[in-house]
Amino acid sequence: MPAGNGAEGRGGIRAMSVAFKASCPDCRARFELDAGSLRLAIGGSRRTTFYSFTCPECGAPVRKPAGERIVELLTGGGVSTLRSV
C-alpha cells in the first residue's frame, strides 16, 4: 500500500513522493521502497505479470505476482513498467 508524502515542487505545485510497503520472503524484513526501487512487468497472463525489487536488508532479488490492484497502485505511483506482448 503506498504512503504519500507531499513535497513542494516548481511553481508551488505539490508533488507526491510515494513509498510502497514491502517485505522479503528470504530474511522476512519489512521496509518501504520508493518507486525507483521497484520494477513492474506486465505480461499477457497472471504468471507473467509481477513486480520485483532487491531486498535492502539482505540483498536478495524478490519477485512477487501483481494482480490488477497492485498494477494500478504501482503504475499510479510512478514505478517503471515493462509491457510484454
Side-chain angles (χ1 to χ4, degrees):
M1 189 81 160
N5 300 320
E8 197 71 33
R10 283 189 282 150
I13 298 172
R14 290 188 72 88
M16 294 300 286
S17 173
V18 180
F20 297 92
K21 293 181 181 180
S23 62
C24 177
D26 287 356
C27 71
R28 302 205 181 262
R30 293 180 178 268
F31 38 82
E32 289 188 352
L33 298 170
D34 63 13
S37 300
L38 294 155
R39 296 289 177 262
L40 174 63
I42 300 175
S45 70
R46 286 184 181 174
R47 245 183 25 151
T48 57
T49 301
F50 61 91
Y51 65 99
S52 61
F53 58 90
T54 300
C55 175
E57 298 294 321
C58 71
V62 179
R63 177 176 161 163
K64 294 188 176 187
E68 286 182 33
R69 181 69 177 138
I70 297 296
V71 169
E72 183 180 306
L73 290 170
L74 294 178
T75 55
V79 172
S80 177
T81 304
L82 170 66
R83 295 182 187 271
S84 62
V85 225

